[in-house]
């Protein structure tokens, strides 16, 4: 018999991990809802016609494709085989697993555009699948938690995202984070200003690596990507820009005076700052970083990135404004802005910094241990009373040795055990043991409910 | 441009549906946790070696299989093609989507058996996928919500499930339901008693349809399945058994006096009843139905089925005891009992009977409508105060006509709108409109928070 195993790059989440993950999901969900975002769920499977061509050629390769049901091979010829996997795929597969939540969201908006309130604010928390090579911290199945508002280009939405990011991390207990913001129009303006107009895409991809590979290697990469020596020299001022947001914006205004696009991006950033101030956010973690680029090419305005200050782990959240969410599905001109939270990394940060509240690991609070059949006549009504008081409680189902039952409580981190033998049945005074302190006392049922609730 | 569409048999869940579904999920989850069940999540994809052969030949056909990544067709020959889809599949696919939550649970238990507390109580709420022909009420992607306890054959677990079913439906607001229980050992005893020992499998499958097709057709089916005329005549008493549980058990004892297996089943049912009584469940919906069979062949003891009394929709929950969860993975003898809740049908029942509480449809509670840029200086701090008071609130992001903004509030079922113009900015007295009654009044920010929280 073959030992069962998991597909590579996938994970089981057992009780301890799940309790903590649920804490993260619930916290993010409640914050999304408090900001007026409404839930959406889309199917795991999408038609390949919806998915293909949306993530670049590499993305197409990384889609998990589902074999057609039934006699899929019927009608296949040797020629089909010889043409290779790429051409064979559409003949035997018409569905794939979703790769992100953005494309299904765009599809949903187009299919329901006449019924949706606009602007439409939705959040979505579901797994996505990518046939990436698995490695540390990179999985083939992982959750995304996205909130987007589409159908408006109001910068109030950017400010709302800044506020919501603060609220999510504050509610998670991650106080030390940095929310960086930049604007793609500023990057486009920089490309113009250095004499590489229209090249903000490759410029962004290279600059995005500044944190990881340093300035010299970024410049090397720009050279490789065909930027001229003159352009690279002209880029020099960018690396010197620093200071408080107002100073940075002033330096940019002066440097990029010739670029209308840049000036528009700078004005947008100024307005976002002003709006955030109006909210009365007193402990803002918002920073302006002109080297923040984010790889995804569909961003056209603000871009966001969040890092946890005390853990080396990359960004835990990111997003930005796009101008054309649904263009690929025949509905152009729909602008929106979104933010995505990375649950796996947030989990790692909270675990490393020991930030999960005790309640997040809390399963059963009371284990009741009847020593014999008779003791159940006392145990079961107590169980009902505890649950009615919203206390998670269970009874050890077998008549076993006390040590075994206490071991069970310890393995499940159950803080209280109620032991019921014939004495307890007669007197109604039950023994309750605090599994953390080891302390044991005798209480009646009502007192026990009061103690543990 | 092709219009985007959904794969057949799959669904999007928009905001209204999702809010209601989340109410169901949360209610079931909280009840599971209160009963000491711990959360588990397994990957959507499992190795086909784990899935194949677990659901019968038909089940194997209904598995969604995932095309291997990369150059899957490399090395395929014409012979492979000619052998047809069934033989070709394992050469190009090694993973499939989970078909239920039981097999992944069994795999998890085997892979983690040394680390798990036993008895192990887990719940799991995740979608499953089946390549069934889609029809009304039958989908290719749907959620299952399962709770199981394995590693014990204590009948206390059956009683716990009876209690938990009552609690789940009470918490959902579905008061009128019937929880039927039977025991596979009684069915096995009936097979023995009518002279068809060992045939309880086909007997169960036929009897299971009694509700749907009536007695005569059940007997026809038994004849087709090779039951003798004598056996069918001997079965007659079964259809006459009725009355209160104690009476039914007495009739069964008398009728099945020769079958040890039946007597064991009857004794088990008696004990479950006794235990349920000990919990003090005063409004029990538990009924003994000797014709309850449930199709799945792996049940070996108690079987459960729940129906909503006022809606014709089939069962909304079901489960039972099995003796050999993990035998297929090389770990025999692990007994357990489980219950599964059908979210889609529960949703339909609650929708038809109008049982969703108002809070389940509740998204944003307050929409703030600033008439101009200046009004935002008042709107944004109010937004922050509302959210700090845990009130879901949003601001209309664009400067639009009042009618458009009020339409937006109506479409999203937002009960309160705060309108802020230059008067309001000057006086601090803001107009708040109740969108249900149409009533409008002037209040300051603190009063508004008090009113809507």
């Amino acid at each position: 018999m073959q030992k069962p195993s998991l597909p590579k790059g996938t994970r089981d989440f057992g009780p301890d991990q799940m309790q903590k993950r649920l804490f993260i999901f619930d916290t993010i969900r409640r914050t999304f809802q408090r900001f007026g975002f409404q839930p959406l769920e889309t199917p795991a499977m999408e038609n390949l016609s919806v998915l293909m061509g949306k993530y670049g050629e590499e993305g197409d390769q990384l889609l998990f494709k589902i074999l057609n049901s039934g006699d899929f091979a019927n009608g296949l010829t040797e020629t089909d085989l010889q043409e290779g996997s790429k051409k064979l795929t559409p003949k035997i597969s018409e569905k794939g697993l979703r790769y992100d939540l953005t494309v299904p969201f765009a599809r949903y908006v187009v299919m329901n555009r006449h019924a949706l309130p606009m602007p439409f604010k939705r959040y979505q928390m579901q797994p996505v699948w990518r046939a990436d090579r698995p490695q540390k911290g990179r999985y083939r199945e992982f959750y995304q938690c996205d909130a987007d508002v589409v159908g408006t280009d109001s910068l109030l939405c950017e400010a709302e995202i800044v506020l919501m990011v603060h609220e999510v991390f504050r509610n998670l207990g991650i106080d030390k984070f940095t929310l960086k913001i930049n604007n793609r129009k500023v990057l486009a303006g920089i490309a113009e200003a250095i004499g590489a107009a229209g090249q903000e895409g490759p410029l962004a991809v290279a600059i995005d690596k500044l944190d990881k590979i340093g300035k010299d290697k970024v410049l090397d990469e720009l050279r490789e990507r065909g930027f001229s020596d003159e352009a690279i020299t002209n880029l020099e001022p960018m690396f010197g820009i620093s200071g408080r947001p107002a100073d940075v914006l002033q330096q940019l205004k002066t440097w990029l005076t010739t670029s209308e696009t840049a000036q528009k991006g700078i004005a947008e950033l100024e307005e976002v700052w002003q709006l955030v101030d109006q909210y009365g956010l007193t402990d803002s973690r918002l920073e302006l970083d002109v080297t923040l680029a984010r790889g995804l090419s569909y961003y056209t305005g603000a871009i966001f990135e969040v890092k946890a200050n005390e853990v080396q782990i990359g960004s835990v959240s990111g997003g930005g404004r796009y101008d054309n969410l649904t263009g690929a599905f025949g509905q152009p001109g729909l602008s929106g802005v979104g933010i995505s939270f990375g649950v796996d990394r947030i989990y790692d940060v909270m675990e490393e910094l020991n930030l999960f509240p005790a309640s997040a690991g809390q399963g059963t609070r009371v284990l009741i241990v009847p020593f014999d059949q008779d003791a159940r006549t006392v145990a079961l009504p107590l169980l009902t009373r505890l649950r009615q008081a919203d206390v998670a409680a269970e009874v050890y189902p077998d008549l076993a040795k006390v040590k075994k039952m206490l071991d069970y409580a310890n393995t499940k981190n159950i803080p209280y055990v109620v032991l019921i033998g014939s004495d307890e049945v007669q007197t109604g005074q039950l023994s309750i043991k605090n599994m953390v302190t080891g302390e044991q006392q005798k209480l009646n049922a009502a007192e026990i409910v009061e103690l543990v609730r």
Side-chain angles (χ1 to χ4, degrees), chain A:
Chain A
M1 171 129 7
Q2 206 192 341
K3 277 195 185 154
S5 64
L6 276 175
K8 66 178 173 178
T10 69
R11 298 163 287 173
D12 288 323
F13 297 104
D16 290 347
Q17 276 175 295
M18 270 307 296
Q19 295 280 15
K20 292 173 178 171
R21 286 171 66 87
L22 287 171
F23 172 78
I24 297 174
F25 287 129
D26 285 350
T27 303
I28 295 177
R29 181 186 296 281
R30 277 204 308 274
T31 310
F32 282 171
Q33 304 217 129
R34 207 175 292 134
F35 275 74
F37 289 88
Q38 297 181 298
L40 170 71
E41 280 190 11
T42 63
M45 297 186 281
E46 294 277 354
N47 289 320
L48 282 179
S49 56
V50 165
L51 298 174
M52 298 284 281
K54 307 302 188 299
Y55 308 104
E57 191 154 344
E58 201 205 7
D60 286 350
Q61 297 292 320
L62 298 183
L63 292 170
F64 280 110
K65 291 153 192 109
I66 293 162
L67 205 51
N68 292 340
S69 327
D71 191 10
F72 65 89
N74 188 14
L76 284 185
T77 64
E78 207 188 338
T79 323
D80 292 326
L81 263 194
Q82 283 158 355
E83 287 185 333
S85 296
K86 204 171 158 182
K87 289 203 167 165
L88 183 55
T89 302
K91 294 180 173 136
I92 59 175
S93 167
E94 55 189 30
K95 291 186 288 292
L97 295 180
R98 74 178 158 249
Y99 181 87
D100 70 2
L101 303 178
T102 305
V103 166
F105 172 48
R107 176 198 49 71
Y108 175 82
V109 168
V110 170
M111 285 177 66
N112 298 275
R113 60 190 173 281
H114 300 303
L116 295 180
M118 279 291 167
F120 181 54
K121 299 172 80 171
R122 86 85 175 81
Y123 74 84
Q124 196 168 350
M125 302 168 59
Q126 293 189 279
V128 301
W129 296 271
R130 298 182 182 177
D132 252 323
R133 187 197 301 262
Q135 49 180 266
K136 189 176 180 313
R138 189 198 285 168
Y139 303 99
R140 292 185 148 195
E141 174 182 67
F142 58 97
Y143 265 79
Q144 292 193 329
C145 299
D146 288 14
D148 289 81
V149 47
V150 293
T152 170
D153 54 11
S154 166
L155 293 169
L156 208 44
C157 301
E158 274 82 343
E160 281 276 281
I161 285 190
V162 169
L163 265 285
M164 194 164 72
V165 164
H166 280 76
E167 198 62 26
V168 163
F169 286 103
R170 184 183 300 140
N171 292 338
L172 286 170
I174 303 177
D175 285 325
K176 293 177 181 162
F177 66 90
T178 304
L179 165 53
K180 289 185 175 179
I181 186 173
N182 195 8
N183 192 300
R184 271 291 167 86
K185 295 190 180 79
V186 174
L187 286 169
I190 290 175
E192 277 179 34
I194 67 173
Q199 294 303 299
E200 62 268 23
L203 181 67
V205 169
I207 292 180
D208 196 38
K209 300 176 185 163
L210 186 61
D211 262 10
K212 278 185 208 144
I213 63 177
K215 177 178 160 187
D216 288 347
K217 287 199 172 143
V218 166
L219 298 186
D220 286 348
E221 181 166 335
L222 286 173
R223 245 171 242 118
E224 276 163 35
R225 286 173 179 271
F227 284 75
S228 69
D229 285 343
E230 197 194 338
I232 289 173
T233 309
N234 288 343
L235 189 61
E236 195 54 38
M238 190 191 72
F239 300 102
I241 288 174
S242 68
R244 289 175 310 160
D247 299 335
V248 170
L249 289 169
Q250 195 50 54
Q251 291 168 62
L252 285 173
K253 268 189 208 169
T254 312
W255 179 36
L256 304 173
T257 183
T258 59
S259 164
E260 229 177 275
T261 313
Q263 296 300 325
K264 189 159 190 314
I266 294 165
E268 287 184 9
L269 284 168
E270 278 178 327
E271 188 175 338
V272 170
W273 236 277
Q274 191 194 349
L275 288 167
V276 169
D277 272 347
Q278 289 180 3
Y279 276 90
L281 181 70
T282 52
D283 60 342
S284 173
R285 267 84 163 151
L286 185 62
E287 281 184 14
L288 175 55
D289 182 353
V290 71
T291 69
L292 175 66
R294 305 232 5 117
L296 287 171
S297 59
Y298 59 78
Y299 292 128
T300 53
I303 43 182
F304 302 103
E305 190 170 276
V306 184
K307 288 193 172 166
N309 295 352
E310 298 176 306
V311 182
Q312 295 294 326
I313 202 173
S315 64
V316 289
S317 174
R321 176 170 288 279
Y322 39 83
D323 271 351
N324 197 10
L325 176 71
T326 53
F329 298 120
Q331 188 183 7
L334 205 57
S335 179
V337 57
I339 188 82
S340 183
F341 292 87
V343 170
D344 287 307
R345 285 188 180 167
I346 289 173
Y347 182 98
D348 289 346
V349 166
M350 294 185 65
E351 193 75 334
E352 188 168 331
L353 301 179
N354 207 8
L355 293 179
F356 284 106
S359 61
Q362 186 83 62
T364 301
R365 198 155 166 76
V366 181
L367 174 71
I368 303 182
V369 163
F371 289 167
D372 51 35
Q373 296 274 2
D374 220 31
R376 289 179 177 170
T377 59
V378 173
L380 303 188
L382 175 60
L383 203 47
T384 296
R385 284 177 76 161
L386 285 166
R387 289 168 179 164
Q388 279 168 352
D390 200 21
V391 175
E394 56 182 295
V395 55
Y396 196 88
D398 299 302
L399 300 174
K401 293 202 171 132
V402 175
K403 183 181 177 309
K404 190 175 176 185
M405 301 194 273
L406 294 181
D407 282 350
Y408 175 83
N410 278 327
T411 314
K412 281 187 87 169
N413 283 316
I414 301 177
Y416 292 102
V417 174
V418 176
L419 306 117
I420 307 179
S422 50
D423 272 11
E424 283 79 3
V425 173
Q426 277 179 5
T427 62
Q429 291 290 308
L430 316 180
S431 302
I432 179 164
K433 187 180 169 81
N434 181 320
M435 296 297 285
V436 183
T437 64
E439 189 197 356
Q440 191 163 327
Q441 54 182 319
K442 291 224 169 192
L443 298 174
N444 68 29
E447 290 164 339
I448 285 177
V449 174
E450 206 45 49
L451 175 69
V452 301
R453 76 190 298 173

